[in-house]
């Protein structure tokens, strides 16, 4: 069991470039999440997918889009990167049922936009 | 929506002493309260959680207490060790398929 995996681990972009962050889980979880973490700001939710086929905005969705490709995969796209999007991005997943609430994080992607 | 506040933002303790981190939440419907530990450069890891039908839960040196009436919950670490040094996050939610709402974190330093 790999759990939650993310690619790439590190990325440097120039302002205006686009990229997609990939996330996959092998735990058969229904719900998947994208967070960003900035110093002193904790973990802020960007977008989430409560179940396959659905996506919803979180606290800080501007500048991002997501795709729930299938039950395993949930990608985050930056269409035109800005320096304010420099951050560490974490994907997470959980079973998302009434009996199971535990949420597990991926290893993170450290993104720098110059 | 739910709002979770966490205090203190930084905490320094001597090795062997106890550490307590407190969180308050706003939504009385919240019923699940996990705590995560994040070491430098690593992902947040779930260390303990509690459901609203329980007042206290222990796992070796860590414990979580919940006061539903006052809408606050706390993490207690006893006999602290240098490897307990990390950032700790509390969170809350009211159902299995709704997002966790996180506090802003507490940086714990255990001084040897």
């Amino acid at each position: 069991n790999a759990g939650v995996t993310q690619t790439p681990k590190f990325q440097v972009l120039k302002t205006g470039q686009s990229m997609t962050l990939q996330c996959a889980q092998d735990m058969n979880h229904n719900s998947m999440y994208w967070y960003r973490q900035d110093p002193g700001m904790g973990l802020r939710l960007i977008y989430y997918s409560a179940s396959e086929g659905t996506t919803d905005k979180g606290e800080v969705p501007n500048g991002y889009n997501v795709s729930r490709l299938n039950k395993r995969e949930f990608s985050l796209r930056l269409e035109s990167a800005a320096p304010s999007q420099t951050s560490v991005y974490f994907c997470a997943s959980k079973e998302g049922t009434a009996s199971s609430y535990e949420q597990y994080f991926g290893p993170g992607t450290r993104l720098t936009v110059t | 929506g739910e709002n979770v506040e966490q205090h203190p933002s930084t905490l320094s303790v001597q090795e062997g002493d106890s550490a307590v981190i407190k969180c308050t939440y706003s939504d009385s419907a919240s019923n699940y309260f996990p705590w995560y530990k994040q070491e430098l450069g690593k992902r947040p890891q779930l260390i303990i959680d509690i459901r609203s039908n329980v007042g206290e839960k222990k796992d070796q040196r860590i414990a979580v207490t919940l006061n539903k009436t006052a809408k606050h919950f706390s993490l207690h670490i006893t006999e602290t060790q240098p490897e307990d040094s990390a950032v700790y996050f509390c969170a809350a939610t009211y159902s299995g398929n709704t997002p966790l709402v996180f506090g802003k974190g507490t940086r714990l330093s255990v001084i040897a």
Side-chain angles (χ1 to χ4, degrees):
Chain A
N1 252 5
V4 182
T5 57
Q6 292 182 235
T7 55
K9 286 187 169 51
F10 301 94
Q11 184 71 49
V12 179
L13 291 178
K14 292 189 185 333
T15 297
Q17 288 185 319
S18 62
M19 79 160 296
T20 300
L21 281 63
Q22 306 285 356
C23 174
Q25 51 88 12
D26 62 2
M27 297 176 281
N28 200 35
H29 284 172
N30 295 305
S31 302
M32 298 184 73
Y33 305 85
W34 277 106
Y35 295 88
R36 61 178 289 174
Q37 185 174 36
D38 304 294
M41 300 294 288
L43 293 154
R44 292 186 293 169
L45 183 65
I46 305 171
Y47 269 95
Y48 67 101
S49 172
S51 61
E52 190 180 356
T54 69
T55 59
D56 283 289
K57 295 178 180 179
E59 181 187 353
V60 288
N62 290 348
Y64 306 95
N65 283 303
V66 290
S67 294
R68 183 75 183 265
L69 304 168
N70 47 55
K71 192 171 185 181
R72 288 187 63 247
E73 299 171 288
F74 188 39
S75 63
L76 179 72
R77 183 159 178 85
L78 287 71
E79 290 291 352
S80 179
S84 60
Q85 293 178 305
T86 293
S87 189
V88 180
Y89 291 85
F90 287 101
C91 178
S93 73
K94 60 178 173 174
E95 190 175 310
T97 64
S99 59
S100 178
Y101 286 41
E102 292 85 358
Q103 179 167 304
Y104 301 94
F105 284 85
T109 294
R110 188 172 294 273
L111 176 67
T112 302
V113 183
T114 61
Chain B
E2 176 64 276
N3 182 50
V4 176
E5 298 204 353
Q6 183 171 347
H7 299 279
S9 56
T10 60
L11 179 61
S12 290
V13 299
Q14 292 290 130
E15 183 178 359
D17 287 350
S18 295
V20 180
I21 303 169
K22 298 182 179 180
C23 289
T24 59
Y25 60 99
S26 61
D27 190 345
S28 56
S30 287
N31 61 5
Y32 175 69
F33 308 94
W35 286 90
Y36 286 81
K37 175 183 180 182
Q38 186 179 29
E39 296 174 350
L40 191 61
K42 301 286 182 65
R43 75 188 82 186
Q45 299 259 21
L46 178 67
I47 56 171
I48 195 167
D49 56 11
I50 192 167
R51 300 276 187 116
S52 60
N53 58 349
V54 175
E56 183 177 5
K57 184 176 178 181
K58 285 185 180 179
D59 183 2
Q60 300 183 333
R61 293 186 298 107
I62 60 173
V64 56
T65 58
L66 172 65
N67 183 326
K68 285 190 294 182
T69 304
K71 289 191 281 189
H72 68 71
F73 57 110
S74 301
L75 177 71
H76 304 253
I77 306 173
T78 59
E79 301 171 15
T80 53
Q81 300 167 4
E83 52 264 39
D84 294 327
S85 295
V87 178
Y88 291 82
F89 292 97
C90 64
T93 191
Y94 65 86
S95 84
N97 66 356
T98 54
L100 289 171
V101 178
F102 285 88
K104 286 191 167 28
T106 296
R107 183 174 299 280
L108 173 65
S109 299
V110 179
I111 303 159

